[in-house]
Amino acid sequence: MSSYEIADEPSPEAGWENLVFPPSAPLLSMMWCGAWLAWPWFIVNARAMGSPTLRHEAKLVAAGLFGSLLLAFTIFTLVDAGVIESRVALQFALLAVTTLKLGVAYTVSAVQSRTYAIYQYYGGSSQRAFYVLMVGSYVRALVLGMSAHPIWLAVMS
Amino acid sequence: MESRQVAALVEQAYRARRAHNWQTAIDLLKRALAIDPEHAGAHASLALALLGARRLHAAAIEVDLALGFGPHNPFCHYAAAAIRRAQRKLDDAWRHCLVAMQDDDGDADIRVLGAAIKSLQEDNDGARSLLMEALELEPDHQGALAQLARLELDLGNLAEAERRIEEALTEDPSDVDAHVIAGFIVLARGRVDEAEQHARFALQEDASDRDALRLWAAIKARRNLLLGMWWRWNMFVGLRSERSQIGILIGSFVVVRIVIILLGAFGYEDAEILLRKIWMGFCAYTWFAPAIFERMLRRELANVTLREDF
């Protein structure tokens, strides 16, 4: 007898179990390592636990990525045009990029947490994020150093 | 044969739901729906169990399925009213409640739910009249008595609230909601120890019950202002909706960052460094706060000894 599936229940795929982490891990990576690690990690995590809200989470991540890109592009266009002149004004403007990234990351984490709670209830296991975060913090400088363009730094940090 | 099996599973799930064993009810109903995926009552019952388990999104989907398979089934409308009420879609909830009441005019539960919706719409007279109707249909209806006590408490009629809650607790001495209401009533009367007994009982039954935790915080605040502030802070952060929690965290972050930028700009570097450290400490605290809070609550509830006459 096949089981009835409730809309919010995850359906993890075989072979992906070792890639499930608590949703707080990618959120922490956003603060610790940067968006370059957090955004893909959220998507992989959702895929690994078979999240029924994968598409919603992917859309949020895309909004975070492209939103921060657009915001950073606007800010540095205003810098080039001489509208934003002082260091303090630039700091305030870049705060908007950080706030957008953090806000989206918190939201994705909250959405993913609901699925994760059910995933755990049905006996799903997860990995410890410590080593990934450690590696991420070492690789951070390398990734951010790939380009000296301020937009790259604002979006990926 | 199959329909009898489904009916038995739905009945078992109903009992599990009444006992607040949400996950058992969900598992039983999943089995029922695997046999008959178009059973409107099973979908509606599953929606209520999911609501109990705080899986509101899934509950809303299930209740829509229930209404699709049983558009004239009063129980489906009852479930829809309960889900819409939880979603704070009160007009829609009331509409479903009316349909359920029209189709099943002898049911006290629907009136109790209707009263809860009316209370949220701040229509106390409407709520009271529905609760009185429910008590006419079932004079011992525990939920109606408890809700009437809550209504009287909100209106400041403590004597009437106390009388109603005593009746409710006589009907079901183990009901968590009734104990919480009783706790608030005796706390309003200044009987803090008695309120604590009610809170302990409720939290033992369900340590995640929001109202019981609010009662606990109110008791702590009555005894010790500082301790009360700590508990209230935990309530403030921990019991809000996800959206609201994210708003608070991001709002705090932005405010602190603005102050840090301004301190740096005006040359107060020492103050800027100090604020950065305090903020880091606060961030670390918020990361561990839920675990600390849970441990504190466990410690408080360990070795609970209720009075013999409780």
Side-chain angles (χ1 to χ4, degrees), chain B residues 77 81 92-104 110:
Chain B
H77 285 280
D92 206 15
W94 179 240
R95 192 174 56 77
H96 284 292
C97 205
L98 279 177
V99 176
M101 274 193 272
Q102 275 162 9
D103 290 349
D104 191 350
I110 297 171

Side-chain angles (χ1 to χ4, degrees), chain A residues 76-97:
Chain A
F76 287 104
T77 305
L78 291 174
V79 170
D80 290 343
V83 178
I84 296 175
E85 283 182 328
S86 71
R87 188 167 170 268
V88 175
L90 181 61
Q91 279 180 307
F92 279 132
L94 288 175
L95 179 58
V97 181

Side-chain angles (χ1 to χ4, degrees), chain B residues 243-255:
Chain B
R243 193 177 294 179
S244 166
Q245 279 180 358
I246 291 168
I248 290 172
L249 288 170
I250 297 294
S252 317
F253 168 77
V254 171
V255 169

Side-chain angles (χ1 to χ4, degrees), chain B residues 105-292:
Chain B
D105 58 3
D107 192 308
D109 285 346
I110 297 171
R111 278 154 183 81
V112 175
L113 176 60
I117 296 164
K118 284 282 165 198
S119 286
L120 286 172
Q121 288 177 324
E122 296 179 3
D123 178 2
N124 290 329
D125 291 338
R128 186 185 275 120
S129 120
L130 281 165
L131 289 170
M132 298 313 284
E133 272 182 43
L135 287 172
E136 271 172 33
L137 291 165
E138 268 184 62
D140 301 332
H141 195 288
Q142 197 270 347
L145 289 165
Q147 219 179 108
L148 201 53
R150 186 189 289 263
L151 187 67
E152 299 296 354
L153 172 68
D154 290 345
L155 295 172
N157 306 326
L158 291 183
E160 184 60 13
E162 207 161 4
R163 188 173 75 80
R164 292 295 186 184
I165 205 64
E166 275 171 18
E167 286 175 37
L169 283 170
T170 309
E171 282 308 311
D172 184 359
S174 63
D175 185 77
V176 170
D177 290 342
H179 275 284
V180 173
I181 297 164
F184 275 115
I185 293 168
V186 292
L187 190 65
R189 287 229 183 253
R191 290 164 8 217
V192 183
D193 288 345
E194 212 177 313
E196 189 180 335
Q197 299 284 326
H198 285 293
R200 278 183 188 277
F201 184 89
L203 286 169
Q204 259 197 325
E205 291 290 311
D206 182 0
S208 64
D209 188 281
R210 290 172 177 224
D211 288 335
L213 287 168
R214 281 198 188 96
L215 172 62
W216 189 256
I219 292 163
K220 290 284 169 192
R222 188 66 72 91
R223 289 221 169 102
N224 179 321
L225 194 64
L226 275 178
L227 202 59
M229 277 169 65
W230 160 252
W231 279 91
R232 277 189 198 275
W233 162 251
N234 279 296
M235 303 289 108
F236 179 73
V237 177
L239 298 183
R240 287 174 169 264
S241 68
E242 275 168 0
R243 193 177 294 179
S244 166
Q245 279 180 358
I246 291 168
I248 290 172
L249 288 170
I250 297 294
S252 317
F253 168 77
V254 171
V255 169
V256 169
R257 290 298 303 176
I258 287 172
V259 175
I260 286 173
I261 291 169
L262 289 175
L263 286 173
F266 289 104
Y268 296 104
E269 275 153 21
D270 290 345
E272 184 198 334
I273 292 165
L274 181 67
L275 187 57
R276 276 182 195 277
K277 284 180 180 168
I278 291 170
W279 176 247
M280 281 298 288
F282 176 73
C283 288
Y285 158 75
T286 55
W287 204 263
F288 297 110
I292 295 169

Side-chain angles (χ1 to χ4, degrees), chain A residues 18-38:
Chain A
N18 294 334
L19 292 174
V20 177
F21 289 85
S24 55
L27 175 61
L28 196 55
S29 80
M30 174 65 85
M31 302 169 194
W32 198 289
C33 313
W36 64 272
L37 178 60

